[in-house]
Amino acid sequence: MAAEKQLNVSDEVAVEINKMNKWYGSFHVLRDIDLTVYQGERIVIAGPSGSGKSTLIRCINALEQHQKGSITVDGTILSNDLKNIDKIRSEVGMVFQHFNLFPHLTILENCTLAPIWVRKTPKKEAEEIAMHFLEKVKIPEQADKYPGQLSGGQQQRVAIARSLCMRPRIMLFDEPTSALDPEMISEVLDTMIELAEEGMTMLCVTHEMGFARKVANRVIFMDQGQIVEQNEPEEFFNNPQSERTKLFLSQIL
Ligand code: ADP
Ligand code: MG
């Protein structure tokens, strides 16, 4: 078993989702989602396009609202109370397919904006923290450039560094490598592997099944708004239980 899989998964619950349902208008997009994520877990969420993967992780940091059931993040119940939403957003980092960096701000400014304005971190300290994380994702020399001057892989690593500057306890990734040219995928995955090795709790929507095998302790398969099946990677890939999972795997592997 890969070394990084031996990392501690604690019995402390990071995210608890109970019978959660969400609709977009009359469209029932998530159905009776039950999911407990423990601190230190690295979960890969897989499934066909339109199965609700993005919606699920967007619900976890309240980018989308659910209508039924409950979501608890680090002990805080997600409700419409803005105070709770602020607290959860500061504990949960999110990285998107399309980086979402501010184009008119430098790399450093992208990384210090939220710490300064949301966390009220003094500017100098925020810059030190930002440089620390830019070093971690191996692009400190790009700090004074603008996003448009960087490659896609570099921009995505900035997006990861920017999230880390808020010192999140949980990181959500929504297809972080899907918009990248093939030769840049591994530099982003390597950054994510390092984060996993350091014990970050991670939920990753990705089609990178090599990453899932190497890093995940659990793979969740979604289809039509439901969690159809979940298992540790070896079992998930070698011994899928449902027909829908088998079909999906036959199409992507
Ligand atoms: P996935 O990430 O697995 O591809 P999504 O969570 O993006 O799936 O979408 C699940 C379903 O919800 C899809 O049918 C999609 O068209 C629909 N959907 C997503 N976002 C919205 C929205 N803002 N309004 C209405 N329907 C949406
Ligand atoms: Mg999606």
Side-chain angles (χ1 to χ4, degrees):
M1 193 183 268
E4 50 271 23
K5 290 201 186 160
Q6 319 254 333
L7 281 167
N8 307 335
V9 171
S10 81
D11 54 9
E12 191 187 339
V13 173
V15 179
E16 175 91 54
I17 301 178
N18 278 315
K19 293 268 167 290
M20 190 267 280
N21 286 262
K22 170 169 180 62
W23 287 260
Y24 287 121
S26 61
F27 176 55
H28 197 173
V29 58
L30 294 176
R31 297 164 181 265
D32 287 334
I33 301 287
D34 285 315
L35 176 64
T36 305
V37 181
Y38 294 91
Q39 284 290 350
E41 278 204 278
R42 300 147 321 260
I43 294 177
V44 160
I45 302 173
S49 176
S51 56
K53 306 179 298 294
S54 294
T55 304
L56 173 60
I57 64 168
R58 291 169 65 85
C59 283
I60 294 175
N61 75 343
L63 286 174
E64 296 286 352
Q65 272 179 12
H66 60 286
Q67 282 83 36
K68 233 177 105 188
S70 68
I71 302 178
T72 308
V73 179
D74 225 5
T76 303
I77 293 181
L78 250 182
S79 61
N80 295 336
D81 187 335
L82 288 176
K83 249 195 249 148
N84 283 355
I85 291 178
D86 278 351
K87 180 164 186 293
I88 283 164
R89 294 246 175 95
S90 72
E91 285 172 25
V92 181
M94 175 125 181
V95 173
F96 303 86
Q97 184 174 354
H98 297 287
F99 333 136
N100 297 11
L101 299 174
F102 296 108
H104 59 291
L105 298 180
T106 66
I107 300 310
L108 188 68
E109 288 164 347
N110 265 278
C111 291
T112 57
L113 188 71
I116 290 172
W117 292 100
V118 180
R119 278 271 159 88
K120 312 292 178 203
T121 307
K123 184 165 178 238
K124 189 161 176 298
E125 190 185 331
E127 288 178 349
E128 282 166 13
I129 294 169
M131 287 311 298
H132 168 79
F133 286 111
L134 287 172
E135 268 157 35
K136 201 170 152 55
V137 302
K138 302 190 173 65
I139 36 176
E141 72 283 357
Q142 309 291 345
D144 296 324
K145 292 194 183 160
Y146 288 86
Q149 297 173 280
L150 272 56
S151 73
Q154 290 174 322
Q155 289 188 57
Q156 192 60 299
R157 285 185 284 148
V158 172
I160 294 172
R162 178 178 63 172
S163 282
L164 294 176
C165 287
M166 290 294 277
R167 302 298 175 94
R169 307 233 313 148
I170 301 163
M171 285 287 289
L172 309 175
F173 293 87
D174 193 358
E175 299 199 31
T177 59
S178 296
L180 297 177
D181 291 334
E183 73 271 19
M184 292 170 190
I185 291 177
S186 65
E187 65 192 55
V188 171
L189 292 179
D190 286 348
T191 302
M192 294 168 66
I193 290 168
E194 256 183 51
L195 264 184
E197 284 172 346
E198 289 166 10
M200 177 64 81
T201 306
M202 299 166 63
L203 278 94
C204 312
V205 176
T206 180
H207 301 297
E208 295 291 335
M209 294 298 130
F211 173 82
R213 276 182 194 270
K214 184 161 188 216
V215 173
N217 66 297
R218 181 150 54 125
V219 181
I220 288 176
F221 176 71
M222 289 184 70
D223 193 21
Q224 297 181 358
Q226 289 178 305
I227 294 178
V228 174
E229 168 165 0
Q230 50 181 311
N231 219 326
E232 53 142 311
E234 284 313 306
E235 277 298 297
F236 179 82
F237 291 112
N238 298 338
N239 191 17
Q241 299 298 304
S242 86
E243 291 308 315
R244 284 191 276 178
T245 313
K246 286 177 195 167
L247 177 66
F248 175 76
L249 289 175
S250 74
Q251 287 163 340
I252 62 156
L253 290 179

